Amino acid sequence: AAEAAEVGGALCRRGACLRQLGRLDEALADLRDAVDREPKIAYYKAQLARALRDAGDRRGSEQLLREAASLRPDDAEMRLEHATSLWELGKRGEADEAVAAALALAPSEPSVHLAFAQHLHRTACARHGPMRRAPMEAAVGAFADAERIASLKREAMLQRVERLSTDEHRASRTGRPLPLASQADRSHAELQAASLAEIAADAAHGGGLALADLGLSDEACDRFEAALALLPGRSESRLQLAMAMVSLGRQHSALVELEQCGRQRPGWAAPRRLKAELHRERGELGPACEEFSAAMACADGVIDDRVRRGGVKMLLGLPHAALDDFEAALALAVPSGPPTAKLHVAHAAALRAVGQRKR
């Protein structure tokens, strides 16, 4: 039995590594072998479920996660993973029950509160019209709870780090090193504080998204700024902050945030695109054209950005350059649909401007 367990563990570890490398066929073979050898080990089934999900077998993945959760009924994280799988299959009621069960199992765990809030937000986003507001408000409250709990625990960890650092300083003055147990304790506390900062930042960001959805842009700005105070390099929060600022009419502040966002992630098209739109609205056509070009260089949404740049070139009185953009976009566009119809109209206008006739 001990030998079988050792072999099963080795197969599971190798299968997990192969999955991370993208070698799914080999990973699935190893993980199935591990589950066959030790069918009562929930961890093996969860690893196989993740590989099946990567391979596109969501139903098989959900069934294995259901079995894993039944083997470890007190594991909140397992319940949450099963809830995500249920949601992806459209089993919303069962997903709600699984998330609620996870929260009941770990009511003081920040990561579980965050997952609960994210589930509520996902549920709200799937609704429309008047049915959307109540679940979105519930998501705001849940994100606030997750942020509060994570922040309190983080503060406790930081206080522990400070206390142990003080102990180390005192010990160094007497020529003695800090005991190994205390060194390990401080290292653990530092890692925990960093992890809790990420959870709190995720919760603040999620709360900002929900508040923005409710039209509460001022409050949304506060939450995005809170996320950035914890993790200044989080470019997604900076972009969302800029978007909330735009909705409040704070275009200059938004441009400052977008500039910083572009420095943090130079290959990301979204902040470039929003900067271009803001410059165009402000009548700054040269910078708008440059930013659309920069967005195109990121190879994300090239067709739309080319069309937008063409429109700016028309405003600049450069119909020949605009025509080049429109014709390049037409060569890449789908054959039909409203976006293509608008593109044809823009193309025709450019043709008229250069004195040609549409053939």
Side-chain angles (χ1 to χ4, degrees):
E3 182 179 349
E6 186 176 339
V7 172
L11 285 166
C12 185
R13 287 190 295 274
R14 188 172 69 179
C17 291
L18 288 166
R19 171 179 166 258
Q20 289 181 341
L21 293 170
R23 294 160 62 178
L24 289 180
D25 289 342
E26 297 169 83
L28 287 168
D30 276 354
L31 292 169
R32 284 192 174 108
D33 195 355
V35 170
D36 289 342
R37 290 171 183 271
E38 298 284 347
K40 297 297 184 182
I41 296 183
Y43 179 74
Y44 295 177
K45 291 198 172 194
Q47 287 290 350
L48 178 55
R50 291 161 194 156
L52 284 172
R53 184 177 183 274
D54 291 347
D57 184 0
R58 292 187 174 180
R59 293 190 180 279
S61 177
E62 186 275 321
Q63 181 58 40
L64 280 165
L65 286 171
R66 183 184 296 274
E67 294 171 9
S70 69
L71 289 168
R72 283 167 55 175
D74 295 334
D75 189 328
E77 296 293 337
M78 195 74 74
R79 296 288 187 105
L80 290 173
E81 191 167 0
H82 184 218
T84 299
S85 184
L86 288 165
W87 176 271
E88 290 174 347
L89 290 174
K91 299 179 180 180
R92 306 292 167 81
E94 288 186 76
D96 291 345
E97 292 173 5
V99 171
L103 189 61
L105 286 168
S108 62
E109 182 57 49
S111 62
V112 176
H113 273 274
L114 174 61
F116 177 68
Q118 290 170 334
H119 177 76
L120 290 178
H121 186 236
R122 191 165 53 229
T123 300
C125 289
R127 298 186 181 180
H128 303 282
M131 298 295 291
R132 187 182 182 101
R133 187 171 189 85
M136 194 65 74
E137 289 174 342
V140 170
F143 278 123
D145 286 342
E147 184 182 353
R148 176 180 55 80
I149 294 169
S151 297
L152 287 171
K153 291 201 169 190
R154 175 175 176 265
E155 184 60 32
M157 288 297 107
L158 291 174
Q159 289 176 2
R160 182 185 296 181
V161 170
E162 184 178 0
R163 176 176 57 78
L164 290 167
S165 297
T166 300
D167 291 346
E168 182 179 34
H169 178 68
R170 288 172 180 168
S172 67
R173 291 169 62 183
T174 63
R176 293 179 300 161
L178 190 68
L180 285 176
S182 296
Q183 292 181 40
D185 189 15
R186 185 180 64 183
S187 177
H188 174 72
E190 288 172 343
L191 290 173
Q192 284 291 102
S195 175
L196 288 163
E198 289 190 14
I199 293 172
D202 284 344
H205 181 89
L209 292 176
L211 286 162
D213 190 278
L214 290 168
L216 302 172
S217 298
D218 224 346
E219 292 90 336
C221 282
D222 291 341
R223 302 295 9 103
F224 294 130
E225 287 172 345
L228 289 167
L230 290 162
L231 297 177
R234 183 179 285 254
S235 52
E236 293 84 357
S237 294
R238 200 169 295 281
L239 175 63
Q240 291 296 332
L241 173 60
M243 293 171 68
M245 286 174 167
V246 170
S247 67
L248 292 169
R250 297 164 54 188
Q251 281 85 355
H252 177 73
S253 296
L255 284 169
V256 172
E257 295 298 336
L258 290 169
E259 186 66 32
Q260 175 70 3
C261 195
R263 286 195 295 269
Q264 289 175 335
R265 282 180 62 179
W268 193 20
R272 302 279 192 180
R273 188 174 298 125
L274 183 53
K275 278 180 69 179
E277 297 284 4
L278 289 175
H279 282 307
R280 183 173 62 182
E281 288 177 11
R282 290 155 63 98
E284 299 162 353
L285 301 181
C289 196
E290 291 174 5
E291 291 297 340
F292 279 131
S293 297
M296 287 166 52
C298 298
D300 176 16
V302 172
I303 295 176
D304 290 341
D305 291 328
R306 195 177 289 278
V307 172
R308 294 186 181 103
R309 189 178 70 173
V312 173
K313 288 178 178 177
M314 288 289 286
L315 294 173
L316 284 167
L318 302 171
H320 287 87
L323 186 60
D324 289 341
D325 273 342
F326 294 143
E327 290 185 340
L330 281 170
L332 298 169
V334 293
S336 61
T340 305
K342 292 180 181 178
L343 175 53
H344 279 293
V345 171
H347 180 244
L351 282 170
R352 288 194 298 272
V354 298
Q356 297 180 10
R357 291 184 179 179
K358 183 178 178 182
R359 295 180 181 178

